[in-house]
């Protein structure tokens, strides 16, 4: 691990200032109910569901105009009640109750000069003006903020067309893993179409390729990578509207959806112009153990994607993992940190138990993430919408969580543009496994015939060992847990 840190540290340098506008680095951040897939119902989730459902009543009342008779008979009483509720919410009392149940929110950047890694890019943060002029000292912080806010954010939406034969017109309370996966794949498309140095535009017209990427993730069947199409493609893995899904099933669903879309279109009109390779262990992960990045399998995926026309193509690697029982085994945290320094990094689908997020960066032992749990009205952007309002797809709020607190069931993503990029990834991954002291996240091999050089060790004694991924299953909502009307749900 030390060798890898020395290697990646040599690449780290302060970036030039891109955005000089002042942006808020803190906000009230609430960890809302959702899913990491493998977590069972928790006390925090149930309390969060209660608060969310309760306040949907207040929002429903507020949005529904009273009838004439209601105005005459109960206007004063109702007005006083709703005013009191609004005062409580505005005053932060309910917010504090919510945080008391689910845990305190953490936002902003800690008071440290430690470097920040964000999807393979390093930012040096200086808070001591004595070593450099003030403008230079703040460049790293401003550049990091601009980079973070340029990542595409996918959140809960309400008001879209019903998903399939269900009555769900919102994914509030159950769609956070799907949204986290959308963010990771959207980032892969940004890398592929616009490059790692791309930043969100300040002025219009917008970049056509950027608009086309957002269109792919609209909330309708017309958008190839909508949750509608994800759920339809993932039925074989148990995906269903209103149910929670684990990282493994989510990765496999993306693999199947990409294949379906590839069969519908020719090579020149691929919605996802890259091969998708889900990295698993022996016997497709059924026997547990560290997943193996097989070079022969990666080459085969590229060959299949190109319909036999090329030995290598851009490739998206998805690595689902289970790194403990109820919490992450601390032995894996240095390796998790290191993956975010890879130039090929797409981040991590994971978060707190019961609440999936998209982790994109790390500073010391804290992980920075984008939170899908905010509720927003549906927005479908057309392919030529270069004048569209895309503000709901980005966030300036810097949220973070201790790595040791994340759910042990997660998935890591990597994007390799070409064979040289893939070779570099394999070198870094092999070095990471060698430095893991017998606890690699995953290993690299040329073929399945070669034995793995390192395997996961038994860590059951510390109650945080590795278990087989049981996230293939989903947990359906029963009537008591489902919202009466999803459209009326509001996030606190």
């Amino acid at each position: 691990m030390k060798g890898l840190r020395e290697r990646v540290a040599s690449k780290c340098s302060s970036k030039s200032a891109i955005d000089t506008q002042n942006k808020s680095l803190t906000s009230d951040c609430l960890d809302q109910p959702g899913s990491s897939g493998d977590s069972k119902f928790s006390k925090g989730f149930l309390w969060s569901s209660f608060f969310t459902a309760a306040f949907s009543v207040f929002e429903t009342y507020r949005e529904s105009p009273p009838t004439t008779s209601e105005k005459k008979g109960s206007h004063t009483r109702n007005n006083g009640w709703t005013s009191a509720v609004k005062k409580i919410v505005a005053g932060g009392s309910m917010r504090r109750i919510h945080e008391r149940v689910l845990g305190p929110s953490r936002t902003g950047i800690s008071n440290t000069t430690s470097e920040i890694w964000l999807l393979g890019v390093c930012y040096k943060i200086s808070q001591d003006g004595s070593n450099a002029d003030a403008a230079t000292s703040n460049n790293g912080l401003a550049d990091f903020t601009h980079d973070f806010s340029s990542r595409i954010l996918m959140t809960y939406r309400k008001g879209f067309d019903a998903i399939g034969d269900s009555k769900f017109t919102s994914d509030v309370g159950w769609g956070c893993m799907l949204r986290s996966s959308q963010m990771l794949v959207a980032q892969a498309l940004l890398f592929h179409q616009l490059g790692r140095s791309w930043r969100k535009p300040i002025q219009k017209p917008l970049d056509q390729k950027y608009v086309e990427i957002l269109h792919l993730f609209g909330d309708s069947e017309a958008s190839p990578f909508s949750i509608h199409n994800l759920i339809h493609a993932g039925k074989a893995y148990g995906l269903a509207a209103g149910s929670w899904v684990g990282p493994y099933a989510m990765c496999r669903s993306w693999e199947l959806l990409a294949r379906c879309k590839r069969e519908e279109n020719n090579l020149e009109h691929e919605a996802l112009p890259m091969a998708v390779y889900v990295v698993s262990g022996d016997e497709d992960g059924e026997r547990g153990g560290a997943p193996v990045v097989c070079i022969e399998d990666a080459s085969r995926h590229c060959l299949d994607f190109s319909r036999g026309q090329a030995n290598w193509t851009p490739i998206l690697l998805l690595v689902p993992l289970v790194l403990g029982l109820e919490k992450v085994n601390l032995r894996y945290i240095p390796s998790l940190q290191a993956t975010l320094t890879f130039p090929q990094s797409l981040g991590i689908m994971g978060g707190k138990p019961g609440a999936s997020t998209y982790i994109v960066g790390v500073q010391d032992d804290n992980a920075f993430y984008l939170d899908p749990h905010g509720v927003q009205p549906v927005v479908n952007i057309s392919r030529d919408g270069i004048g569209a309002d895309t503000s709901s797809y980005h966030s300036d709020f810097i949220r973070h969580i201790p790595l040791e607190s994340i759910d042990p069931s997660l998935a890591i993503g990597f994007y390799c543009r070409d064979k040289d990029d893939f070779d570099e990834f394999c070198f870094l991954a092999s070095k990471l496994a060698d430095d893991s002291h017998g606890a690699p996240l995953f290993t690299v091999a040329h073929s399945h015939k070669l034995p793995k050089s390192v395997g996961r060790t038994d860590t059951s004694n510390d109650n945080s060992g590795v278990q087989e991924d049981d996230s293939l299953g989903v947990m359906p909502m029963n009537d008591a847990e489902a919202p009466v009307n999803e459209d009326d749900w509001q996030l606190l």
Side-chain angles (χ1 to χ4, degrees), residues 284-299:
D284 200 25
E286 294 299 321
R287 292 174 55 187
V292 181
V293 176
C294 178
I295 297 175
E296 287 184 354
D297 282 355
S299 178

Side-chain angles (χ1 to χ4, degrees), residues 79-234:
N79 186 59
W81 169 247
T82 53
S83 296
V85 170
K86 291 178 183 178
K87 187 174 297 185
I88 291 174
V89 176
S93 299
M94 188 56 69
R95 185 183 298 277
R96 286 190 291 274
I97 294 174
H98 195 286
E99 291 184 351
R100 181 71 61 86
V101 173
L102 296 182
S105 304
R106 302 193 178 203
T107 59
I109 299 176
S110 59
N111 185 24
T112 176
T113 58
S114 299
E115 62 196 23
I116 298 176
W117 284 93
L118 177 63
L119 299 181
V121 175
C122 180
Y123 294 97
K124 287 193 176 295
I125 308 300
S126 175
Q127 297 181 1
D128 184 2
S130 62
N131 296 328
D133 61 83
T136 303
S137 300
N138 292 327
N139 280 351
L141 188 59
D143 293 348
F144 163 73
T145 306
H146 194 199
D147 191 354
F148 181 91
S149 65
S150 297
R151 302 310 106 211
I152 291 179
L153 170 70
M154 304 288 180
T155 69
Y156 289 150
R157 298 283 181 174
K158 64 174 185 175
F160 48 69
D161 293 338
I163 299 174
D165 296 330
S166 76
K167 297 181 179 179
F168 284 93
T169 58
S170 170
D171 61 316
V172 174
W174 56 269
C176 57
M177 177 57 73
L178 282 81
R179 298 300 185 181
S180 298
S181 73
Q182 285 182 322
M183 286 189 266
L184 189 147
V185 176
Q187 186 57 53
L189 285 167
L190 279 182
F191 277 16
H192 180 79
Q193 300 287 7
L194 297 166
R196 179 62 184 88
S197 60
W198 180 88
R199 300 292 182 266
K200 67 176 181 179
I202 298 176
Q203 298 179 343
K204 297 178 181 178
L206 304 173
D207 189 290
Q208 180 66 47
K209 292 182 178 179
Y210 162 66
V211 172
E212 290 176 356
I213 290 173
L214 295 183
H215 167 76
L216 294 174
F217 296 90
D219 293 306
S220 70
E221 292 184 1
S223 295
F225 302 140
S226 63
I227 62 173
H228 298 65
N229 288 320
L230 262 176
I231 288 174
H232 178 74

